Amino acid sequence: MSETKRKQVLVSDVTDAIQRWAPADRQRFATALIEDALRPAQPITHRWGEPPTNPTREQLERVLLRYGWGLVDHVPYPLELQVSIDTDTLPPIAREGLHKALQRYREGDICGAITPIASAVEDGFARPIWGENPDWGDYHRGGALQAKVTRAFAVFEETFVRELQEEGLDENRATALWGNQRAAVSNATSVLGGFRNRFGDAHQLQDPPHRFAQRALDCGIFVLRAFSEYGQREPAEPEFDLGF
């Protein structure tokens, strides 16, 4: 048998085996294959200041769009779960939480998808800020998630107000806008915490509709973006291999 024929037989046998799998198993296999294909694909840097390109990613994205899927970094996710955030600006633990949420969602684990988003906010941003302010007391005694996150976000007030004043806003108007921004983060965290407490994988009181994961993710992404915008401005360097 020639080399070409052997490859044809192998591909045929593998295809027959995969077609006998359950749909959920085929989907897990396909998404894992996509991740493995994207991991080693390094962007190609062009001359004359042109932005780098990644042909493998671009080709996969075109194919995935036909089936209603997209990519965050190298993680595939269904487009019905909308995500828009530059993950390079997030600390490693927050990136890991976001990716874990996407992975669980695509596998149908809605309860399991909600919890990592809240953990990305709490462990990625709020808890470290409390650790830098020991006079605030014990983090675990700081109250509900909303109270702890809101207090942590308050450390960015000076930066927020100063940037607006540099753009020509007077202090009173800039301070008022800060109050609105702080309230928005607080309210979004309250909604996120409520979904986690009711539907998170530690509770699983019932199997929630997919749209609940979308709402929790919307709130979580808003809070993550707010912290990353006014906190760390440089891309975070992972302290360990996240595996994605």
Side-chain angles (χ1 to χ4, degrees), residues 61-175:
E61 282 186 312
R62 285 196 295 269
V63 174
L64 287 171
L65 283 173
R66 301 173 192 166
Y67 297 93
W69 285 66
L71 293 171
V72 172
D73 289 348
H74 66 268
V75 179
Y77 71 97
L79 293 179
E80 63 191 63
L81 184 66
Q82 298 297 320
V83 176
S84 176
I85 188 170
D86 180 7
T87 58
D88 287 340
T89 64
L90 300 180
I93 193 169
R95 289 185 66 211
E96 186 176 24
L98 176 58
H99 286 197
K100 185 180 295 183
L102 295 174
Q103 291 166 348
R104 291 181 176 180
Y105 179 89
R106 76 183 185 211
E107 294 173 356
D109 182 6
I110 305 307
C111 291
I114 292 175
T115 300
I117 295 298
S119 297
V121 171
E122 183 170 13
D123 299 330
F125 288 99
R127 195 190 305 272
I129 292 176
W130 275 68
E132 296 169 0
N133 296 273
D135 56 308
W136 290 0
D138 184 4
Y139 177 81
H140 296 286
R141 299 178 182 275
L145 178 66
Q146 178 189 16
K148 292 185 286 191
V149 170
T150 302
R151 184 165 191 180
F153 187 68
V155 301
F156 303 126
E157 178 178 3
E158 181 179 350
T159 301
F160 185 100
V161 172
R162 184 183 68 252
E163 288 185 348
L164 289 178
Q165 288 181 290
E166 290 174 352
E167 295 300 323
L169 272 71
D170 63 68
E171 183 176 358
N172 290 337
R173 179 57 177 163
T175 301

